[in-house]
Amino acid sequence: MRNVRIVPPATLTGIRLKHLKDAACGVPAITSTIKHIADEMGMIKGWKLLQKLNQKDGIDCPGCAWPDPTHRSKLGEYCENGAKAIAEEATEKRCTPDFFAQHTVEEMSDWSDYIIGKSGRITNPMFLEKGSSKYKPVSWDFALSRIAQELDNCATPDEAVFYTSGRTGNEAAFLYQLFVRKFGTNNLPDCSNLCHESSGTALIESLGIGKGTVKLEDLYIADAILVIGQNPGTNHPRMMAALSKCKANGGKIIHINPLPEVGTTKFIDPQSPVEILKGGTQLADHFLQVRVGGDHALFKMIGHYLKNLEQEIGGVLDQKFVEEKTEGFINYWNSLDEVNLDECAEISGISKAQAFEVAELISKKRNIISCWAMGLTQQKKAVAIIQEVVNIHLVLGAVGKPGAGLCPVRGHSNVQGDRTMGINEKPREPFLLALDKRYNFTAPREHGFDAVEAIEAMSKNQVKIFIGLGGNFVSATPDSVFTGKAMQRVPLTVHISTKLNRSHLVTGEEALILPCLGRTEIDLQEGGEQFVTVENSMGIVHRSRGSVTPASELCMSEPAIVCEIGNACKKTSDLPWKKWRGNYDFIREEIEATIPGFDNYNKRVRGVDGFYLPNGPREGKFTTPSGKAQFRTEPLQHIEIPTGHYVLMTIRTHDQFNTTVYGLDDRYRGVENERRVVMMNEEDILKAGFQHKELVNIVSIHEGVERKAIKFHIIPYDIPKGCVGTYFPETNCLVPLHHTAERSNTPISKFLIVRFEKYNGEEG
Ligand SMILES: Nc1nc2c(c(=O)[nH]1)N[C@H]1C(S)=C(S)[C@@H](COP(=O)(O)OP(=O)(O)OC[C@H]3O[C@@H](n4cnc5c(=O)[nH]c(N)nc54)[C@H](O)[C@@H]3O)O[C@H]1N2
Ligand SMILES: Nc1nc2c(c(=O)[nH]1)N[C@H]1C(S)=C(S)[C@@H](COP(=O)(O)OP(=O)(O)OC[C@H]3O[C@@H](n4cnc5c(=O)[nH]c(N)nc54)[C@H](O)[C@@H]3O)O[C@H]1N2
Ligand SMILES: [Mo]
């Protein structure tokens, strides 16, 4: 095994602490946008590109999955962090064979993720030979035949693992899963496994569809929006425009988070000069500063108070809706009598009075929308928590009608589309039957590996080849040291990538990097210029067409790469890959023929706004086996935190996209030029005898096993006592592989039990 660094080096960059910002966006957001654009690609090219972002017939922003409004801003429909994502991809910097000749993988692995990411766009297929430390350039032919050889050598198809990250467009995703199933396995782990899997699991059981039930317009007219475990100011900035429209229409915003995230609190629309002058809109009407992991208790309290209000005043329960459209109500309603309010208040950190206030508000403002993200999904009880949120909606009849519903806010820009295309290690039977019929084979039925199971299999030498369609598997997954070593046991690892990342350095015995086009680039094939299609967080399918010259002549599009691999591999070569590669309309015809909701795909997707996929629950038709929405409730779990220990959540800064580190600031939270920090309540700091900025090591404890991350500054922050926050991927080494959410198997990145040790000068 090569002696490469799996956990990023513990190098400090010079911390500066500022005050927490009191409003998101505004002028600093514009300044930051300009800086990133100017540094990476120059102002002229950058400005032109931003004008195309999220415009009809433009580029779908690779930043996040938030939908586009029907009326697009003339100034360009983008946000500061979308602009950073674009600058990152359309950078003028190049990571060439010369670059690889100058640096060994060991040397590069000693760099921070920030520096690794600044090496530019990868220009050539690169190969790391067994025993060698330097990548060398190879031809596409060589790369493809090496992959085909390894695939053909697998004793069973289950020895191959095919990961997908959520930027991949529908066309590449559809062909990829088809290729994988024709090859003979369902080993299709994807970033959903680390992300919204818990939402999918919860919503399929409760409503019959693993997606949200609202349209963008519903947010504008909602009476109240609950923003739970989500930081939209940073991660979905365009959502704030929708929240402020809701406010302008008289709606209330309820923010449930351990941190007073500024974006949800106050928003200055950077596209509105008037807004900038008047200092922005106060968004959140209620801020519930819940303890990390406290939402289960909180929603049980809210449910309990709704029942009290129904019994005392009446008019809370939507009797007709509950009777006609749901099941399991009695059981849920009875369970609310058992709720121990004092215990719930203690676990959640939310007083009974505050919980009552919210219950009262939503009992009157009945058209409610609940939005959530990783604060809920990456918890042990994630599925149960989300189902408690759903229960509240069912009581109020607040689903399946305008201005009301459930809204899991997706992460990667096409993560939802990839699932629709069949990137799923546990595919549903009707989908497989459609493949069988169309392609005249029997798709494998046995479930494949999810992300966690794939790592386990690698560690046991059960995986012979790993292919990553985008992403940064080694850094995004838990238990970095274990995972990195597991990856090193694989004979061949292949990454289809735009930019260099740690997964290209912590590799199998042999490794290939296949350079691909990004969203922003012109995709020219035999049949002419192509576009791809994507599905946003609200189920709208639309086009994305690149407009800049590709980073290198040797970059291939993702659909083309999948076609070439499919064509090279003996088991799959009989499918018409060449035809599909030449004109993506033919791929869309295949999607139309196998996946419901895509009728007239090629025509409809050419319409300016794209089209909505069918979604029963959005129309009040629940697609569970019984056709009724399900109340589901589980007992509360009380986890004792030993004295001197804290609950840690791993979150994103304002300057990163998952494992891609754009910069070293977390501007809204007032942390500058440093990522190695632990946010801690001032009283806890005093009690533990720490100084501000003191250096500590973080030790997580799970089932008696300790994992350590070296050298972090303790900083005072407005966070509940007993809870601490830090950034990933630096702290993924603390997340145990086998500590996962019940039923969705998502790693619990937001509830680690940790203690701190004084840092005593050891090398990180
Ligand atoms: N700029 C930018 N945009 C992105 C991304 C990015 O990295 N950068 N990533 C994309 C992806 S893939 C995703 S999934 C999304 C992620 O979007 P988010 O889910 O907003 O991302 P996180 O930083 O993980 O933030 C989780 C939030 O939950 C809160 N939280 C933590 N624990 C709890 C809890 O127990 N209860 C409650 N109520 N809140 C809690 C944290 O304080 C934080 O505000 O963003 C997408 N968009
Ligand atoms: N501790 C902790 N860990 C987490 C999380 C957390 O909150 N806490 N969040 C989890 C979540 S929500 C997610 S979604 C995962 C993300 O996991 P991944 O999706 O695996 O990781 P990313 O960092 O988004 O992947 C970035 C890489 O994708 C490649 N890339 C970028 N654009 C393109 C493209 O257009 N095509 C191709 N082929 N490649 C491209 C680049 O090489 C880049 O380095 O991380 C998870 N990990
Ligand atoms: Mo995500």
Side-chain angles (χ1 to χ4, degrees):
M1 275 184 196
R2 290 179 194 88
N3 188 17
V4 285
R5 185 189 281 277
I6 301 167
V7 178
T11 318
L12 300 179
T13 41
I15 187 167
R16 292 191 300 268
L17 294 184
K18 298 272 166 74
H19 289 293
L20 201 72
K21 295 285 174 287
D22 62 0
C25 290
V27 177
I30 301 175
T31 327
S32 162
T33 304
I34 292 174
K35 185 180 173 316
H36 279 272
I37 290 283
D39 286 355
E40 296 289 341
M41 57 179 160
M43 268 326 288
I44 297 176
K45 182 178 167 195
W47 184 251
K48 275 193 189 152
L49 204 53
L50 283 184
Q51 299 313 298
K52 299 247 184 214
L53 209 53
N54 291 334
Q55 295 298 325
K56 301 175 181 190
D57 197 31
I59 305 155
D60 177 65
C61 179
C64 74
W66 191 254
D68 309 309
T70 316
H71 302 287
R72 317 273 161 105
S73 159
K74 291 230 164 39
L75 272 168
E77 192 59 45
Y78 62 87
C79 67
E80 174 194 355
N81 278 346
K84 287 183 199 164
I86 286 289
E88 183 77 16
E89 179 178 300
T91 176
E92 296 283 290
K93 296 175 190 145
R94 295 290 177 267
C95 185
T96 61
D98 271 355
F99 172 91
F100 284 106
Q102 281 162 25
H103 309 288
T104 62
V105 284
E106 289 86 351
E107 180 192 348
M108 291 187 277
S109 72
D110 267 335
W111 302 348
S112 68
D113 290 331
Y114 174 62
I115 302 290
I116 291 174
K118 292 286 167 218
S119 45
R121 286 287 299 277
I122 302 163
T123 57
N124 290 59
M126 302 297 302
F127 182 52
L128 185 63
E129 248 172 312
K130 197 168 173 172
S132 165
S133 279
K134 279 189 176 169
Y135 273 100
K136 59 174 197 193
V138 290
S139 67
W140 273 103
D141 279 348
F142 173 87
L144 293 164
S145 56
R146 188 67 203 81
I147 294 169
Q149 192 188 350
E150 202 63 41
L151 287 171
D152 291 333
N153 275 345
C154 286
T156 83
D158 294 328
E159 287 184 345
V161 167
F162 304 87
Y163 176 69
T164 314
S165 167
R167 255 189 210 179
T168 296
N170 284 350
E171 292 74 7
F174 178 81
L175 292 186
Y176 189 55
Q177 64 78 31
L178 174 60
F179 154 69
V180 170
R181 298 202 159 100
K182 175 94 181 170
F183 177 70
T185 179
N186 281 313
N187 284 345
L188 281 159
D190 76 324
C191 71
S192 272
N193 299 147
L194 313 166
C195 183
H196 265 294
E197 194 74 273
S198 309
S199 308
T201 307
L203 293 176
I204 287 181
E205 287 177 1
S206 293
L207 306 179
I209 193 166
K211 303 182 182 184
T213 70
V214 297
K215 296 181 174 178
L216 186 55
E217 292 73 24
D218 289 319
L219 279 101
Y220 305 161
I221 57 166
D223 293 333
I225 301 180
L226 286 80
V227 182
I228 319 163
Q230 195 204 341
N231 178 19
T234 288
N235 297 316
H236 306 90
R238 289 178 307 122
M239 175 174 168
M240 290 191 302
L243 294 180
S244 67
K245 272 194 193 153
C246 173
K247 281 283 301 197
N249 290 335
K252 300 277 181 200
I253 310 291
I254 301 158
H255 179 201
I256 303 176
N257 200 304
L259 305 181
E261 301 288 26
V262 355
T264 329
T265 313
K266 194 167 188 189
F267 167 58
I268 306 177
D269 187 350
Q271 310 225 350
S272 157
V274 179
E275 273 277 298
I276 291 173
L277 286 177
K278 76 173 205 235
T281 313
Q282 182 69 34
L283 284 180
D285 299 279
H286 293 265
F287 171 42
L288 302 190
Q289 191 160 21
V290 66
R291 292 171 52 85
V292 174
D295 305 84
H296 201 195
L298 171 62
F299 280 90
K300 281 186 182 286
M301 275 206 278
I302 295 177
H304 177 90
Y305 284 125
L306 283 177
K307 180 169 180 181
N308 278 3
L309 286 163
E310 166 67 19
Q311 286 169 340
E312 283 162 21
I313 307 168
V316 175
L317 187 66
D318 186 335
Q319 206 112 32
K320 188 165 180 287
F321 177 89
V322 168
E323 268 167 30
E324 287 175 5
K325 303 215 166 182
T326 73
E327 280 176 350
F329 170 72
I330 299 291
N331 184 29
Y332 170 67
W333 208 235
N334 287 341
S335 80
L336 294 173
D337 295 332
E338 315 285 300
V339 173
N340 178 337
L341 293 170
D342 292 315
E343 185 191 25
C344 287
E346 192 197 321
I347 295 178
S348 66
I350 303 298
S351 69
K352 290 188 263 183
Q354 263 186 308
F356 177 76
E357 204 179 12
V358 170
E360 198 181 27
L361 185 145
I362 59 177
S363 72
K364 293 184 187 138
K365 302 235 162 215
R366 308 180 56 87
N367 275 348
I368 61 163
I369 293 181
S370 292
C371 303
W372 69 89
M374 298 304 104
L376 294 196
T377 65
Q378 299 172 338
Q379 300 285 350
K380 178 108 197 144
K381 286 274 173 193
V383 174
I385 300 171
I386 295 162
Q387 292 182 330
E388 285 298 347
V389 176
V390 175
N391 292 342
I392 303 271
H393 281 253
L394 297 180
V395 165
L396 298 169
V399 58
K401 65 177 184 187
L406 284 314
C407 181
V409 183
R410 296 284 159 175
H412 265 299
S413 52
N414 197 41
V415 62
Q416 187 159 315
D418 291 346
R419 267 291 156 91
T420 307
M421 292 300 113
I423 304 289
N424 192 342
E425 78 285 353
K426 298 181 188 70
R428 296 225 234 177
E429 184 59 20
F431 176 81
L432 296 177
L433 273 177
L435 293 185
D436 291 353
K437 205 164 140 226
R438 174 105 186 148
Y439 303 104
N440 209 12
F441 76 121
T442 308
R445 265 33 186 196
E446 207 175 311
H447 288 173
F449 298 140
D450 64 15
V452 167
E453 291 159 349
I455 296 165
E456 248 162 56
M458 288 179 202
S459 76
K460 294 184 196 143
N461 295 329
Q462 288 166 357
V463 177
K464 296 289 181 285
I465 172 169
F466 170 97
I467 300 185
L469 182 50
N472 183 0
F473 191 80
V474 165
S475 293
T477 49
D479 235 343
S480 313
V481 177
F482 183 87
T483 298
K485 288 192 174 143
M487 193 68 138
Q488 287 181 296
R489 291 173 176 273
V490 179
L492 176 66
T493 55
V494 182
H495 283 92
I496 299 165
S497 312
T498 49
K499 305 267 305 251
L500 193 65
N501 64 45
R502 200 163 289 278
S503 298
H504 305 129
L505 310 174
V506 181
T507 65
E509 287 169 9
E510 289 188 334
L512 278 163
I513 307 175
L514 307 181
C516 72
L517 294 180
R519 289 262 176 89
T520 49
E521 290 163 327
I522 298 168
D523 181 356
L524 203 56
Q525 302 294 341
E526 259 178 20
E529 204 182 308
Q530 304 297 315
F531 63 85
V532 296
T533 58
V534 289
E535 175 185 341
N536 65 31
S537 202
M538 291 177 189
I540 299 176
V541 180
H542 63 101
R543 275 187 296 178
S544 175
R545 183 199 293 277
S547 61
V548 300
T549 314
S552 146
E553 280 177 5
L554 287 170
C555 285
M556 230 191 247
S557 77
E558 290 183 351
I561 293 174
V562 176
C563 287
E564 293 300 330
I565 296 176
N567 196 38
C569 174
K570 266 197 221 121
K571 276 196 185 147
T572 56
S573 61
D574 60 332
L575 289 170
W577 301 106
K578 206 169 157 6
K579 171 180 160 192
W580 290 334
R581 176 180 174 168
N583 184 342
Y584 303 169
D585 276 351
F586 293 131
I587 310 175
R588 286 182 285 268
E589 282 175 10
E590 299 303 314
I591 296 171
E592 178 174 341
T594 42
I595 304 178
F598 286 88
D599 315 86
N600 248 327
Y601 193 0
N602 277 311
K603 178 152 182 270
R604 283 200 296 159
V605 87
R606 285 177 163 84
V608 279
D609 290 320
F611 59 92
Y612 273 102
L613 286 176
N615 182 322
R618 195 164 54 211
E619 270 83 53
K621 295 189 197 82
F622 299 103
T623 37
T624 54
S626 68
K628 301 218 167 165
Q630 304 292 312
F631 280 94
R632 285 180 164 253
T633 185
E634 282 182 33
L636 191 61
Q637 191 186 31
H638 192 23
I639 299 169
E640 278 302 327
I641 310 298
T643 329
H645 291 66
Y646 305 81
V647 177
L648 175 127
M649 58 176 179
T650 61
I651 55 178
R652 296 156 168 78
T653 70
H654 193 62
D655 251 1
Q656 73 184 81
F657 191 93
N658 300 337
T659 67
T660 301
V661 179
Y662 301 138
L664 302 173
D665 298 338
D666 196 3
R667 204 176 75 239
Y668 294 161
R669 298 195 185 113
V671 185
E672 287 189 6
N673 206 46
E674 187 60 79
R675 294 179 50 81
R676 307 190 74 80
V677 300
V678 177
M679 293 171 235
M680 195 183 235
N681 184 288
E682 184 77 274
E683 279 185 43
D684 283 343
I685 296 184
L686 274 174
K687 212 158 98 190
F690 290 131
Q691 305 293 316
H692 288 184
K693 301 193 203 170
E694 180 169 340
L695 288 176
V696 296
N697 299 333
I698 315 173
V699 182
S700 73
I701 302 112
H702 178 68
E703 292 179 347
V705 180
E706 299 201 335
R707 293 169 175 79
K708 199 189 275 194
I710 306 281
K711 218 179 189 181
F712 291 80
H713 292 284
I714 292 277
I715 62 165
Y717 205 83
D718 184 359
I719 182 171
K721 277 185 279 180
C723 303
V724 289
T726 186
Y727 306 133
F728 86 99
E730 289 82 348
T731 46
N732 256 339
C733 54
L734 296 171
V735 185
L737 184 68
H738 295 294
H739 188 39
T740 58
E742 289 171 5
R743 312 222 294 285
S744 65
N745 210 25
T746 297
I748 300 172
S749 312
K750 301 276 195 279
F751 197 101
L752 304 174
I753 296 178
V754 300
R755 62 181 167 82
F756 298 102
E757 288 177 354
K758 296 234 175 242
Y759 170 68
N760 52 22
E762 63 264 57
E763 277 290 312

